[in-house]
Amino acid sequence: MIEKHIVLEDIDPVVFYGVGNAHLQMIRALYPKLRIVARDNVMRVLGDEEQMASFEENAEKMRQHVLKFNSLREEDILDIIKGKRTKDEVPDGVVCYSMSGRPIKARTENQQRLIDAYFGNDMVFAVGPAGTGKTYLSIALAVKALKEKTAKKIILSRPAVEAGEKLGFLPGDMKEKIDPYLQPLYDALEDMLPQVKLQEMMEKRVIQIAPLAFMRGRTLSDAVVILDEAQNTTPAQIRMFLTRMGWNTKMIVTGDTSQIDLPKTQKSGLIEALHILNEVEGIGIVRLDRTDIVRHKLVTRIVNAYEAFDKENKQE
């Protein structure tokens, strides 16, 4: 009789154990000669040596399944333990899976162009109105790189510019001050990574928050770097940011040129960068439009109404 400890790394143990430990109970029934005690992400296993070897191998297969698909069904457990074939490859077009097991993939042609541009270039500009999935897809691509170990870290940045109202001085340390501006990025990360794992990654600086004002002098290597709301950068800021790029790094710059919150006398760095870098090799520029909006149908109508209003004002 032997004892081993199996650590469920990089996954949410709740998904592995099932609701009310239903999966764990099923696994115990399939391995009657083993005593399995689970606490957090560690399983203490005691029992027959032959079944132990089989359990170790299949537990790793189940962990890999959860890591890829963020889900584990009873059918998957049975297929893995009984040696039947189970889906082990992510289908074409799927970037990664949400915490609910929903496949995250392009829903429009321009969103697919964004994904293709990411894999075909080291730097990508994704420009379009609200709700077109620019930020969400960018985070999904970054999470995919992290899971597949093609990048060692994710670096998130965003200019600290309020949308029309002055919030004054915010309390707390630098992370707490910048957090309100980065909430959309956090929302996307929380939809794709287990909460405990996300917190751990942030503590270990695998996922970093890098305020734009503090980027000068850094070289960003082995990372996926995302600059969100780039329309609110100044020409000097975006120039400084783009030149932080190091080896084995992908940069994604997202923005909406119709929602510039800079003072009217200040030129948007994003607009200038798109003009200057339009023909530079290795840089992909993807323009999304109102047909790519994937939020509530009212968002499309709102964008259309404001576009018509802006056009009318320009004519006047």
Side-chain angles (χ1 to χ4, degrees):
M1 186 172 287
I2 58 173
E3 178 179 336
K4 290 199 175 180
H5 290 135
I6 296 172
V7 181
L8 302 174
E9 294 180 345
D10 301 328
I11 65 169
D12 185 353
V14 174
V15 176
F16 189 97
Y17 300 144
V19 178
N21 284 339
H23 294 165
L24 189 59
Q25 297 290 354
M26 182 180 182
I27 293 167
R28 284 170 176 156
L30 291 166
Y31 286 97
K33 295 181 181 179
L34 298 179
R35 182 170 180 265
I36 305 169
V37 179
R39 175 166 293 186
D40 295 329
N41 68 330
V42 179
M43 289 189 293
R44 179 172 167 265
V45 189
L46 182 72
D48 178 76
E49 187 173 353
E50 186 180 340
Q51 279 205 358
M52 181 74 75
S54 170
F55 178 78
E56 273 191 290
E57 181 183 347
N58 289 327
E60 175 58 20
K61 287 180 180 177
M62 286 185 273
R63 188 191 73 83
Q64 289 288 345
H65 186 93
V66 174
L67 187 63
K68 284 182 180 178
F69 304 105
N70 272 333
S71 67
L72 186 66
R73 303 172 302 167
E74 291 184 357
E75 307 94 274
D76 299 324
I77 295 171
L78 284 171
D79 286 345
I80 289 169
I81 291 177
K82 292 183 177 181
K84 294 180 181 179
R85 290 189 64 182
T86 182
K87 63 174 184 177
D88 56 1
E89 292 297 328
V90 175
D92 289 342
V94 175
V95 178
C96 64
Y97 285 79
S98 72
M99 288 308 300
S100 62
R102 174 177 55 83
I104 298 170
K105 58 184 179 180
R107 293 171 62 180
T108 69
E109 286 185 18
N110 285 331
Q111 286 186 355
Q112 186 59 51
R113 288 191 186 102
L114 169 55
I115 294 170
D116 294 340
Y118 170 84
F119 289 112
N121 301 276
D122 288 334
M123 184 180 292
V124 178
F125 286 82
V127 185
T132 51
K134 307 180 299 294
T135 301
Y136 193 79
L137 274 179
S138 299
I139 294 289
L141 290 164
V143 168
K144 177 183 174 70
L146 209 57
K147 285 188 173 186
E148 295 179 353
K149 302 190 186 303
T150 56
K152 293 180 180 178
K153 53 184 178 280
I154 297 173
I155 300 174
L156 308 173
S157 191
R158 196 180 190 192
V161 177
E162 294 97 344
E165 45 184 327
K166 300 296 180 184
L167 301 178
F169 292 103
L170 296 172
D173 58 22
M174 185 171 69
K175 179 184 176 300
E176 290 169 331
K177 290 178 188 292
I178 201 71
D179 271 358
Y181 300 101
L182 292 167
Q183 194 57 51
L185 304 180
Y186 287 136
D187 291 343
L189 283 168
E190 288 171 356
D191 195 37
M192 300 173 207
L193 292 169
Q195 184 64 44
V196 174
K197 189 64 185 174
L198 176 57
Q199 190 63 37
E200 180 188 328
M201 285 178 166
M202 295 189 72
E203 288 172 359
K204 292 182 177 179
R205 294 185 59 76
V206 175
I207 296 177
Q208 298 179 21
I209 306 304
L212 194 56
F214 293 87
M215 293 286 278
R216 190 174 295 281
R218 293 190 66 181
T219 300
L220 310 175
S221 300
D222 298 310
V224 178
V225 187
I226 298 172
L227 174 61
D228 195 34
E229 300 289 349
Q231 76 275 6
N232 289 328
T233 59
T234 65
Q237 282 177 328
I238 200 165
R239 183 174 182 175
M240 177 272 293
F241 174 83
L242 297 177
T243 53
R244 301 305 94 204
M245 192 173 193
W247 293 105
N248 190 36
T249 287
K250 294 265 192 180
M251 273 192 172
I252 307 176
V253 180
T254 71
D256 177 3
T257 54
S258 70
Q259 292 188 344
I260 298 172
D261 300 310
L262 294 168
K264 291 185 178 180
T265 56
Q266 181 67 65
K267 187 177 181 181
S268 169
L270 176 62
I271 292 175
E272 183 177 277
L274 290 171
H275 175 70
I276 294 171
L277 304 175
N278 189 45
E279 301 295 332
V280 176
E281 186 179 352
I283 296 179
I285 297 176
V286 180
R287 298 182 186 275
L288 299 101
D289 55 41
R290 57 194 179 191
T291 62
D292 300 299
I293 294 173
V294 291
R295 289 182 186 165
H296 193 285
K297 59 186 179 182
L298 270 178
V299 175
T300 305
R301 296 174 192 167
I302 290 167
V303 170
N304 290 344
Y306 271 97
E307 281 185 0
F309 177 78
D310 291 340
K311 187 176 180 180
E312 185 178 325
N313 278 357
K314 282 181 182 179
Q315 289 175 346
E316 289 178 358

